[in-house]
Amino acid sequence: MIEIKDLSKRYGNFQALDGISMTIDAGTVFGFVGPNGAGKSTTMSILATLLLPDSGIAKVSGFDVTKHPKEVRRRIGYMPDFFGVYDRFKTDEYLHFYGASYGIARSEREKLIPQLLELVNLSDKKEAYVDGLSRGMKQRLCLARSLVHDPEVLILDEPASGLDPRARIEMREILKELKRMGKTIIISSHILPELAEMVDQIGVIEHGRMVAQGKVSDIQSRLRVNRVLHIRTLARQEELAAKLRDEAHVSRVLSDANGIQVHFSGQDVEQMQLLRRVLDWEYEVVSFNEAQTNLEDVFLEITKGGAAT
Amino acid sequence: MSLKNKAGGGSLWINPVLDKEFRLRMRTPRSFVALLIYVMVLGLLAIGFIYVTTGLQDQQSGGRFDPSVSRVLFYVLSIAQLVLIAFMTPALTAGVISGEREKQTLNILLTTQQSSSAIVLSKLFSSLAFMVLIVLATLPVYSIVFLYGGISPSQLALVFLFYLFTMLLLGALGIMCSTIFKRTIISVIMTYGMTMFIFAATGVAYLLMLAIVQQSYYSGTVPPKYSWVGFILGLNPVGALVSIFEPGISKQAFLVNSGNLQGKAPIALWLQFLLVYSVVIVGALWVAIRRIRPVRRKRREDDFDAPNNGASAGEVAEMKPAEGMKNDK
Ligand SMILES: Nc1ncnc2c1ncn2[C@@H]1O[C@H](COP(=O)(O)OP(=O)(O)OP(=O)(O)O)[C@@H](O)[C@H]1O
Ligand SMILES: [Mg+2]
């Protein structure tokens, strides 16, 4: 559905994209993550036909973004990271305008727009001027706008940025709904846990290069070589910490008021053996668990000085 | 070119961008304030003129206001209106694209199915429509002139057509600057700069050149049929406008030997103005349409034709939904 190959873009003598490649299948929700300035927005602008790449190919549904921009525009819904609205429009007029811009007949729009407003929970704001909407509402309105022409592909550049936690959850629910509708979605963010539960795949970009790409679980397990164990005891914590430092597979031990953190490079079997040993030493263990490696850690791990390239 | 495609398709008049521009423009009080100020300036000028001339004549003819004076009033009003247009049009057009860019609405508009020419031309036409509205609102001021006679309605119509052309010219330049320059303030400055050039620089250049040419003109044994200095005045809107009321001006501008009754100006000033600036208008619009979306740098040779061919092919596919909308309204 989306195909990017060796895409490069430079601004002056700054290489913003440096031969990036990725493929996203139809119906996939693709999380595009990377630190500030990595080149996420640049990639998305190229896909949205707003920017021309210096070299490389970007295709949407088989149409090249530079050769057939009209065909591409017909198939994508794009939500930029920063956008403005025409303040003096009412909410439904705003959607009517974009609907008309895609050549949708008025009778059709009359049916469509209430549905879209329903989807983004703005039905009660139909008559309100866009000017008076809150940030989160404008964001949802913009999302509704990107859906007017029923695009196959959605390109969402940080759709939840600047939203409060509640609005983020609402945005996430809407995106899940869109996923159920079978849209191919590419969504960027630097807040990773937010993506974790709804994306099928992630691509991690840094300095204009793709540093890791694949299923969330794959990338997570790749990093599980270095797991963190969390041990809490009723007493003699410092003594145990000192003993653990001499164990095999243990690279680092931290001890504080919350308990002991052990950086452990062994697999499940070694982990089990370690637990057995601690119990054999007759320490009063309250808990022994493996800290969840979340996307945040994955992200920090991968982008650690770009070493993973 | 793309210009013809759009207009020929007939979809331009119900174009959504045009519709949007009309609605949003009329929703600001600013538009009405501009209209009010404009009509007031012109009205005060007319009243002031009548006051001064009748005052002066009081001593001689007992306060009569005869047709020859009303003719002068017409000229004064027409030139004043032209200058007002020169002030208003850049203000209305120099920000239409860059303003959307600054408000961050342009990106979204560019990802819709609207073609570059539809966006540029709709924005131009909506601004010009507003200017036309303003100029029509000044018609009552002209009624003073008709009250006293001395001017024919057809002359007035010609003058208004000339205004329309001047607006189109300044509007096209404004929209071009608005597309090229990222920031509205720069675009506004550049558009006023170009307007100043067209209005003032050509006039000054004419006067300078005239002084130089006149010195050497009659020194030759056989005076030439006409002098090229007239072509400079033909680039000046005021010169061109005056040549509409007083066709004899063209002859004088080209220094056609006044003794020679058969002598004719090589071209009427207004006609030259029309021809030269038509090319400028088309050029400016072409640049604006090409530059509003990123330009393909590769394959520079066939670039000249490719985007237009592409556009017309696309336009055919687009025609259906556009037509559907028309039936709908
Ligand atoms: N118009 C521009 N001119 C010059 N440099 C630019 C321009 N746009 C982006 N850049 C540079 O290109 C790099 C990539 O920018 P981009 O906006 O794609 O990053 P991003 O991954 O979206 O970052 P963020 O998470 O902050 O949104 C940045 O270093 C930025 O400074
Ligand atoms: Mg960004």
Side-chain angles (χ1 to χ4, degrees):
Chain A
M1 187 56 72
I2 296 178
E3 212 187 317
I4 290 178
K5 235 180 125 197
D6 295 328
L7 207 62
S8 293
K9 174 78 192 172
R10 55 169 51 239
Y11 295 108
N13 51 17
F14 177 80
Q15 192 79 38
L17 289 185
D18 192 4
I20 202 171
S21 300
M22 61 191 188
T23 313
I24 303 170
D25 296 326
T28 307
V29 180
F30 186 88
F32 201 27
V33 296
N36 289 133
K40 303 182 293 291
S41 300
T42 304
T43 311
M44 289 175 140
S45 296
I46 292 174
L47 280 176
T49 75
L50 292 170
L51 206 62
L52 291 173
D54 296 333
S55 64
I57 297 169
K59 283 184 182 171
V60 175
S61 306
F63 290 101
D64 190 303
V65 291
T66 54
K67 296 200 187 96
H68 305 283
K70 277 203 165 184
E71 297 299 324
V72 173
R73 280 178 214 131
R74 204 189 297 274
R75 286 167 177 79
I76 58 161
Y78 171 62
M79 184 168 165
D81 45 355
F82 298 104
F83 62 90
V85 287
Y86 302 109
D87 288 345
R88 298 190 296 272
F89 263 147
K90 286 178 182 168
T91 305
D92 64 335
E93 284 177 319
Y94 177 84
L95 293 176
H96 267 290
F97 165 61
Y98 285 104
S101 297
Y102 281 102
I104 301 168
R106 175 166 273 275
S107 55
E108 214 170 305
R109 279 183 270 141
E110 301 280 10
K111 273 180 277 161
L112 179 73
I113 287 170
Q115 290 171 12
L116 285 175
L117 288 173
E118 183 70 46
L119 178 74
V120 298
N121 295 324
L122 284 175
S123 296
D124 50 333
K125 294 285 179 182
K126 184 166 150 318
E127 287 290 317
Y129 280 96
V130 173
D131 198 17
L133 298 183
S134 74
R135 169 86 190 254
M137 290 173 183
K138 280 182 191 167
Q139 217 110 344
R140 277 181 279 153
L141 181 63
C142 188
L143 184 64
R145 189 228 82 230
S146 68
L147 293 167
V148 280
H149 55 302
D150 194 20
E152 302 156 33
V153 177
L154 282 175
I155 300 170
L156 310 175
D157 200 351
E158 299 188 32
S161 70
L163 299 186
D164 66 29
R166 201 192 144 70
R168 277 171 190 280
I169 292 169
E170 281 172 2
M171 183 61 84
R172 194 151 54 192
E173 290 309 312
I174 297 169
L175 291 176
K176 279 187 194 157
E177 178 64 34
L178 291 172
K179 181 181 171 175
R180 270 194 290 278
M181 287 160 72
K183 308 263 183 214
T184 308
I185 304 175
I186 166 166
I187 172 172
S188 81
S189 177
H190 32 231
I191 302 169
L192 292 137
E194 193 173 86
L195 289 179
E197 62 175 278
M198 60 182 174
V199 300
D200 304 315
Q201 273 189 41
I202 60 170
V204 184
I205 179 178
E206 205 193 7
H207 299 310
R209 293 207 197 105
M210 202 59 115
V211 280
Q213 186 183 4
K215 285 210 186 90
V216 178
S217 52
D218 288 351
I219 291 192
Q220 256 167 350
S221 67
R222 235 176 68 191
L223 284 150
R224 289 230 344 249
V225 231
N226 249 320
R227 52 185 87 181
V228 175
L229 304 178
H230 203 244
I231 305 170
R232 215 151 61 78
T233 58
L234 274 182
R236 298 191 290 153
Q237 182 179 317
E238 291 305 321
E239 192 190 311
L240 174 61
K243 264 189 173 163
L244 284 171
R245 279 189 186 101
D246 300 328
E247 286 298 309
H249 304 295
V250 172
S251 53
R252 211 163 139 228
V253 179
L254 292 172
S255 174
D256 58 24
N258 294 324
I260 306 172
Q261 263 190 38
V262 182
H263 288 245
F264 188 69
S265 60
Q267 294 300 310
D268 281 355
V269 182
E270 288 88 11
Q271 185 176 330
M272 179 270 289
Q273 286 166 349
L274 185 72
L275 173 60
R276 184 172 283 166
R277 204 145 338 132
V278 172
L279 291 174
D280 284 349
W281 290 332
E282 296 193 335
Y283 286 99
E284 293 152 320
V285 177
V286 180
S287 73
F288 182 102
N289 53 3
E290 188 188 332
Q292 277 290 316
T293 40
N294 58 18
L295 268 177
E296 203 86 53
D297 302 320
V298 175
F299 178 65
L300 290 174
E301 191 73 31
I302 294 174
T303 59
K304 206 162 48 190
T309 320
Chain B
M1 299 193 324
S2 358
L3 200 146
K4 237 188 287 168
N5 282 339
K6 240 353 197 199
S11 54
L12 195 65
W13 294 109
I14 48 136
N15 182 287
V17 182
L18 192 65
D19 180 69
K20 172 214 126 198
E21 293 286 316
F22 278 145
R23 278 172 197 247
L24 296 188
R25 168 153 289 136
M26 286 311 170
R27 280 183 189 175
T28 47
R30 220 172 45 185
S31 301
F32 293 98
V33 173
L35 181 80
L36 194 69
I37 290 176
Y38 188 100
V39 177
M40 262 169 50
V41 167
L42 211 67
L44 285 177
L45 192 81
I47 292 169
F49 180 86
I50 293 170
Y51 185 77
V52 169
T53 46
T54 49
L56 282 180
Q57 284 178 337
D58 243 1
Q59 288 97 36
Q60 308 152 14
S61 54
R64 262 181 49 240
F65 191 77
D66 60 64
S68 74
V69 180
S70 112
R71 242 183 121 72
V72 176
L73 174 60
F74 176 67
Y75 295 170
V76 168
L77 279 182
S78 301
I79 291 171
Q81 174 113 288
L82 187 66
V83 173
L84 279 176
I85 287 173
F87 273 103
M88 286 287 286
T89 317
L92 281 174
T93 54
V96 289
I97 306 285
S98 55
E100 288 225 11
R101 197 183 283 119
E102 281 167 349
K103 275 193 308 179
Q104 297 180 311
T105 49
L106 186 66
N107 264 359
I108 297 177
L109 187 59
L110 292 181
T111 54
T112 66
Q113 288 291 101
Q114 292 300 304
S115 63
S116 303
S117 49
I119 294 172
V120 167
L121 296 181
S122 301
K123 284 186 163 281
L124 177 67
F125 288 155
S126 75
S127 308
L128 292 191
F130 183 64
M131 278 303 296
V132 168
L133 178 73
I134 287 185
V135 170
L136 289 182
T138 65
L139 268 179
V141 179
Y142 281 85
S143 64
I144 302 171
V145 178
F146 283 111
L147 208 61
Y148 293 104
I151 233 64
S152 70
S154 67
Q155 255 170 322
L156 185 66
L158 277 181
V159 168
F160 273 52
L161 282 178
F162 184 80
Y163 290 156
L164 201 61
F165 183 79
T166 310
M167 289 174 207
L168 192 64
L169 169 65
L170 299 181
L173 291 176
I175 252 184
M176 180 183 73
C177 288
S178 193
T179 329
I180 295 176
F181 300 107
K182 299 282 172 263
R183 293 182 48 216
T184 300
I185 183 76
I186 309 276
S187 164
V188 168
I189 291 170
M190 291 306 289
T191 312
Y192 274 112
M194 291 182 187
T195 307
M196 279 288 279
F197 180 84
I198 292 172
F199 272 75
T202 53
V204 172
Y206 173 71
L207 293 179
L208 278 179
M209 285 305 176
L210 187 67
I212 294 168
V213 169
Q214 266 178 337
Q215 276 178 0
S216 57
Y217 198 61
Y218 299 105
S219 57
T221 41
V222 182
K225 271 221 191 84
Y226 64 88
S227 162
W228 51 267
V229 282
F231 288 118
I232 299 178
L233 193 61
L235 296 176
N236 185 288
V238 179
L241 178 64
V242 172
S243 82
I244 295 178
F245 331 129
E246 302 273 355
I249 286 286
S250 302
K251 224 169 111 176
Q252 283 173 32
F254 284 100
L255 300 178
V256 175
N257 199 334
S258 43
N260 181 2
L261 285 176
Q262 263 88 55
K264 271 177 34 188
I267 187 168
L269 292 181
W270 62 266
L271 186 61
Q272 186 207 330
F273 185 85
L274 225 64
L275 292 178
V276 171
Y277 287 115
S278 292
V279 176
V280 173
I281 291 170
V282 171
L285 290 179
W286 186 77
V287 170
I289 290 169
R290 286 239 341 131
R291 294 290 296 273
I292 191 169
R293 285 195 164 104
V295 189
R296 265 210 267 172
R297 258 160 265 151
K298 275 187 262 170
R299 307 186 341 177
R300 195 161 271 251
E301 302 86 43
D302 47 6
D303 228 20
F304 248 67
D305 295 314
N308 289 330
N309 291 346
S312 43
E315 230 86 68
V316 175
E318 251 190 339
M319 218 44 98
K320 241 184 265 157
E323 222 65 72
M325 273 161 44
K326 195 199 295 181
N327 298 340
D328 227 43
K329 273 217 159 171

